[in-house]
Amino acid sequence: MNVQRQRSDTWGRRAELTSQNSFLGSVDEAFILRIAFLFSGQFALYEGFQDWNRGRADIHPEVAVLTLTIYGVSLFIIAMSLMPSKFVLRFRDLPLLPFALATVTSLYVVAAIAYKGAYRTDVLAYSHYAALLFAGQGTNPYVTDMAKALSMFAVQPSDLTPLMSGTYLTTFQYPALHFLVFVPFVWLGLQDMRWVLVLFEIGVVLVLYLRGPRNLKPMLLIPLFAGSDLMINFTAASVSDALWVLPLVFTALYVEKPVHAGVFYGLACAMKQTPWVLAPFLLIYMLRTTDNRDLHDRLLRVVKFTATSVALFVVANLPFLIASPNAWFRNVMTPLAEDLVILSQGPSLLTQVGLLPVGRMFYTVLAVAVAVVLMVNYYVYFDHLKYALWIFPGIILWFSYRALTNYIIYWTPLILVSLILWYEAEHAKVAHSG
Amino acid sequence: MNVRRLTAPLSVVFLILIAGLAFAYLQARSEYPPAILDPQFDLWVEDPEPGGDKPLVWELEYVKSAGDQVVLQKTELSGKQALEIQIVQDGVDEAWSYVYLKQMIDGMRLRALFSGYLGVWIFSEASCECRKTSQSESTVFGVETNDGTHTLTYIFAPEVTGPQQFLGHRTVYLRTEGGQWTYHWMDMAGEYARAQWHHPERVTFSIVVGVSGSTAGSHAAYVHGFTTDAKATPEPLQHRTPGRAPYSSAFSEGSSANDQWAVRLCPQSSHSDALNVKSAWQVIMV
């Protein structure tokens, strides 16, 4: 009888504790949501003000409507952060609205008004031109001079890539998917390929949002919008990195499945060279993440991942590789081999401004040394560094002689995926031990 | 266990070692970016205003009468690719027509410009017998830097005089025979020092061609390209000619090294035509 009463008391206390925890959980959740509401409202206010400044509403009345809408939505969302918890919890997805509205409006104002018809990087001009040539006449862009694209898309001299000789790069320097991805949109008649970049960007946000833990969802997006550069300014300025980020996000999500991960990693590598830096770390991950299995199984995972990655990469590039292997290799290796001027937000800035008289090779040696150190340490301390691999390329590229912000900032969505997976793994561990 | 304990500290030691060794062995003379962008005039875009094309990187400005024409084109002349600057002067009035191709130079590019010699291959019109005495009065071809306070002008002319300076304007004449390719070195830093001017924070660098209104017809000047390679500097000669300011040096295609020294060592005495060129140039500056 006593035992029965004791059991009953214990269950009662547990239920009470669970209820308390649940209540505290929802209090925390509501608080996190309030912060997310406030942040997204403030972000949209900031962008609304920028658009008001640069949007020439006097001759573009739609900008006036959009600006008013942004301000209205921002105020509403900020006010929502001060509403009772049940409202905040019920409308938990609302912070997406100001983020999306501000992003699309700002991109529209910059791309279609401030820089209408003008790309602000030679990269996108060359890629769009290559897609036009390929879609029209099946021209191989690796053997074609791209200079005509500069006047076609009104690229300013300051947005070109200068060489040490004073001349400029006028070749297509990326793997084939970087222009093939635009070909369907050329056929559809799209005039401005920045909207394709926006589509990829939206894809990244949606995947992260849908895949994120429910209780942390709006909060999860805050690192993406901590400044305007990642989601707005760089894409509006025709920086094309969103193209490789989306397939790499899927690589990160499917990292435990070597074939799936290999497919997406191959796609990412066929878009641009930046994800190539990740390869050794992904191989170490494949090898070490299943330490409990025998070596044969682990090596098989590595082989599956490598084979599918290489296969996808080759499939995308094969026609051009066969047609003109020398031109393809020379162009795609341009970032490594060509005589580009030092341009950096990394340590090589010291040389760029004349404070440290060393050659570009110094920074290449430094970047390789950092890469080797990171690989060795990642392998040795894998148990501690398992989820850290997504920042390693950013660190390595920061030491190179062309350490540009987009080489670092675009790893943020990948780091977020890693954090989600880590969070889920920790939860699973707690649930398993409980 | 030892591996785990040693890897991190050894990594730090490895990085310090590599950085130290690389610094010791890979120290270099500062790698300046190019002072002149698109020095060979490779990039061209359509220019809707006068019609035709213009170099993308170089900013085009011109002053001309309604009937005059300005044409820029990439061409080949005597075996060299060149930028052709052509002015078709209608001769209706006395007004000069000018073409300026400009770019702004600052930061490390300016440092590159002032830490070496700027070389240029140019080709100016041959004097024809009919206007032999007045060719230099009727056309002007040169380069200049303008830092907002000071203007340094190099004039390519068949007859030259010593450098001339008046207030914030210094003019250096570079002897240039018409009808052939000539290579000139220009010592911007040296001229600034001789003019007792401080190094500027930025300059506008221009190629300038002008044609007087009294010279009807088509006039062209050609630039093959600029180099900023300090190695091209005739350094031994400077040691051999103490006390002589190396205003500039030049040689023509087919001339020997001695010829070029001769050109530099024998600056022409003052000449009325050259002075006329200068006064015409000052009109441009105004």
Side-chain angles (χ1 to χ4, degrees), chain A residues 21 95 117 129 134 140 167 189 193 199 204 212 218 221 237 268 310 314 350 370 400 405 420 426:
Chain A
N21 283 341
Y129 184 55
F134 185 76
N140 179 355
T167 56
M193 293 303 161
L199 278 183
V204 169
L221 298 183
V310 172
V314 170
L350 296 175
V370 168
S400 72
T405 301
I420 292 170
E426 298 268 284

Side-chain angles (χ1 to χ4, degrees), chain A residues 126 147-148 150-151 155-157 160 162-170 288 339 341-342 351-363 365-366 368-370 372-373 376-377 380-384, chain B residues 3-12 14-15 18-24 26-46 56-58 103 108-109 111 226 228:
Chain A
Y126 294 163
K148 202 177 172 192
L150 300 176
S151 52
V155 182
Q156 293 301 302
L160 303 178
L163 303 175
M164 284 302 286
S165 61
T167 56
Y168 291 89
L169 278 178
T170 55
R288 294 233 38 200
D339 209 13
V341 298
I342 294 179
T351 300
Q352 186 190 322
V353 299
L355 292 176
L356 189 63
V358 292
R360 279 165 297 165
M361 183 54 77
F362 173 78
Y363 296 102
V365 169
L366 213 57
V368 171
V370 168
V372 169
V373 163
V376 170
N377 282 269
V380 172
Y381 303 113
F382 184 79
D383 49 341
H384 293 308
Chain B
V3 173
R4 283 182 69 88
R5 197 182 303 163
L6 291 175
T7 301
L10 282 178
S11 297
V12 175
F14 172 76
L15 277 179
I18 291 289
L21 285 171
F23 185 72
L26 297 172
Q27 270 195 60
R29 197 168 60 84
S30 290
E31 283 190 31
Y32 291 119
I36 307 292
L37 295 175
D38 195 17
Q40 311 287 329
F41 313 101
D42 291 320
L43 292 180
W44 289 74
V45 290
E46 286 173 15
L56 169 64
V57 173
W58 295 81
Q103 56 179 264
M108 290 296 281
R109 286 176 53 221
R111 211 179 288 184
F226 292 94
T228 45

Side-chain angles (χ1 to χ4, degrees), chain A residues 36-197:
Chain A
F37 273 63
L38 193 54
F39 181 92
S40 65
Q42 290 290 356
F43 178 83
L45 266 187
Y46 170 81
E47 280 304 316
F49 181 57
Q50 298 302 315
D51 295 335
W52 181 82
N53 273 327
R54 63 194 166 191
R56 302 293 315 275
D58 49 338
I59 49 175
H60 297 279
E62 75 275 18
V63 174
V65 176
L66 286 167
T67 306
L68 281 176
T69 311
I70 289 181
Y71 270 78
V73 168
S74 299
L75 283 170
F76 175 70
I77 296 291
I78 291 169
M80 278 292 289
S81 72
L82 301 169
M83 292 292 120
S85 292
K86 64 177 182 180
F87 289 108
V88 173
L89 288 166
R90 184 178 299 163
F91 298 104
R92 58 173 59 246
D93 294 321
L94 262 185
L96 266 183
L97 181 62
F99 280 145
L101 187 63
T103 302
V104 173
T105 303
S106 292
L107 283 163
Y108 169 74
V109 166
V110 175
I113 293 174
Y115 293 97
K116 186 180 182 183
Y119 289 153
R120 299 196 56 212
T121 63
D122 51 359
V123 178
L124 195 60
Y126 294 163
S127 302
H128 190 165
Y129 184 55
L132 284 170
L133 289 178
F134 185 76
Q137 303 112 43
T139 306
N140 179 355
Y142 294 100
V143 293
T144 309
D145 184 59
M146 296 278 126
K148 202 177 172 192
L150 300 176
S151 52
M152 190 181 282
F153 299 110
V155 182
Q156 293 301 302
S158 57
D159 298 328
L160 303 178
T161 308
L163 303 175
M164 284 302 286
S165 61
T167 56
Y168 291 89
L169 278 178
T170 55
T171 52
F172 180 73
Q173 316 133 33
Y174 300 97
L177 219 49
H178 199 277
F179 80 88
L180 288 175
V181 72
F182 297 123
V183 170
F185 298 97
V186 168
W187 285 329
L188 289 171
L190 186 69
Q191 302 289 317
D192 190 335
M193 293 303 161
R194 276 172 289 205
W195 294 110
V196 178
L197 306 179

Side-chain angles (χ1 to χ4, degrees), chain B residues 60-129:
Chain B
L60 171 64
E61 268 185 30
Y62 48 82
V63 179
K64 67 180 185 68
S65 309
D68 299 344
Q69 288 178 32
V70 169
V71 179
L72 298 182
Q73 59 184 347
K74 197 168 186 177
T75 187
E76 191 176 321
L77 183 68
S78 301
K80 283 190 193 300
Q81 291 283 327
L83 160 72
E84 178 182 339
I85 305 169
Q86 190 183 50
I87 298 177
V88 183
Q89 175 64 263
D90 65 359
V92 170
D93 53 34
E94 289 295 307
W96 282 65
S97 293
Y98 305 105
V99 174
Y100 304 82
L101 277 171
K102 307 197 295 189
Q103 56 179 264
M104 208 265 284
I105 304 177
D106 62 1
M108 290 296 281
R109 286 176 53 221
L110 186 63
R111 211 179 288 184
L113 184 70
F114 275 71
S115 60
Y117 285 70
L118 181 69
V120 61
W121 274 106
I122 56 115
F123 188 110
S124 58
E125 281 185 322
S127 303
C128 67
E129 286 301 317

Side-chain angles (χ1 to χ4, degrees), chain B residues 57-279:
Chain B
V57 173
W58 295 81
E59 187 190 340
L60 171 64
E61 268 185 30
Y62 48 82
V63 179
K64 67 180 185 68
S65 309
D68 299 344
Q69 288 178 32
V70 169
V71 179
L72 298 182
Q73 59 184 347
K74 197 168 186 177
T75 187
E76 191 176 321
L77 183 68
S78 301
K80 283 190 193 300
Q81 291 283 327
L83 160 72
E84 178 182 339
I85 305 169
Q86 190 183 50
I87 298 177
V88 183
Q89 175 64 263
D90 65 359
V92 170
D93 53 34
E94 289 295 307
W96 282 65
S97 293
Y98 305 105
V99 174
Y100 304 82
L101 277 171
K102 307 197 295 189
Q103 56 179 264
M104 208 265 284
I105 304 177
D106 62 1
M108 290 296 281
R109 286 176 53 221
L110 186 63
R111 211 179 288 184
L113 184 70
F114 275 71
S115 60
Y117 285 70
L118 181 69
V120 61
W121 274 106
I122 56 115
F123 188 110
S124 58
E125 281 185 322
S127 303
C128 67
E129 286 301 317
C130 61
R131 54 188 186 200
K132 194 170 184 176
T133 56
S134 60
Q135 176 68 13
S136 54
E137 286 179 331
S138 57
T139 62
V140 173
F141 181 21
V143 298
E144 74 170 31
T145 61
N146 185 327
D147 63 20
T149 309
H150 309 111
T151 304
L152 171 61
T153 305
Y154 288 90
I155 294 179
F156 310 129
E159 295 94 16
V160 299
T161 181
Q164 298 181 1
Q165 189 168 342
F166 179 69
L167 298 176
H169 192 169
R170 183 176 175 85
T171 308
V172 178
Y173 297 91
L174 304 179
R175 182 174 165 176
T176 307
E177 295 298 332
Q180 63 183 16
W181 281 109
T182 307
Y183 186 75
H184 286 293
W185 285 286
M186 290 167 275
D187 177 14
M188 305 280 179
E191 293 303 337
Y192 258 73
R194 281 183 279 281
Q196 298 185 316
W197 297 338
H198 291 297
H199 279 202
E201 286 186 0
R202 65 174 57 89
V203 298
T204 301
F205 179 87
S206 312
I207 304 167
V208 189
V209 178
V211 176
S212 107
S214 60
T215 319
S218 174
H219 302 269
Y222 302 85
V223 185
H224 170 59
F226 292 94
T227 58
T228 45
D229 188 354
K231 288 170 193 164
T233 308
E235 202 173 313
L237 185 70
Q238 289 174 22
H239 297 307
R240 275 187 273 151
T241 56
R244 297 296 297 267
Y247 304 131
S248 72
S249 58
F251 69 89
S252 305
E253 268 200 336
S255 63
S256 68
N258 285 337
D259 290 339
Q260 59 174 300
W261 308 148
V263 168
R264 211 193 64 177
L265 283 169
C266 304
Q268 301 295 299
S269 57
S270 182
H271 190 282
S272 59
D273 278 354
L275 289 173
N276 284 334
V277 170
K278 181 176 180 292
S279 51

